[in-house]
Amino acid sequence: MLGACDDGGYYILGLKRAHARLFADIAWSTDTVAAATRARAREIGLDLVALEPWYDVDDAASLARLSADGTGYAAPATRAVLARLAETSEAVPA
């Protein structure tokens, strides 16, 4: 299974066993990672189940997006951390 992100990467990749070739020579940290991974999976004969597109949290902008997002997976542990971070930032004088 592969869940592609709106930034061209992916948020999850599930495999039943290791396939080192799937990850070889991929241009990481680019907007083509998910597409290249899908192409590689076809090349080595893997069937992929595509999950709904989502977003990953890998920078300040996507963290802010997650913090403001009231839809989707509840992620209670993540929400608790975000709440603690918000409390901490409110307690620090500017």
Side-chain angles (χ1 to χ4, degrees):
M1 88 179 95
L2 184 134
C5 293
D6 53 10
D7 66 0
Y10 53 84
Y11 63 91
I12 191 168
L13 177 66
L15 299 167
K16 290 182 180 178
R17 60 184 162 83
H19 295 276
R21 178 73 184 125
L22 186 62
F23 303 102
D25 303 317
I26 298 287
W28 298 105
S29 300
T30 67
D31 60 359
T32 62
V33 173
T37 303
R38 280 192 294 271
R40 181 62 53 73
R42 282 190 302 272
E43 174 189 310
I44 62 177
L46 295 177
D47 291 325
L48 276 184
V49 174
L51 301 177
E52 290 294 318
W54 198 248
Y55 63 95
D56 58 354
V57 179
D58 55 6
D59 58 19
S62 56
L63 180 60
R65 179 180 179 184
L66 175 67
S67 185
D69 187 357
T71 63
Y73 182 66
T78 302
R79 299 274 177 219
V81 169
L82 290 172
R84 283 196 308 270
L85 288 172
E87 290 171 7
T88 302
S89 67
E90 291 169 3
V92 176

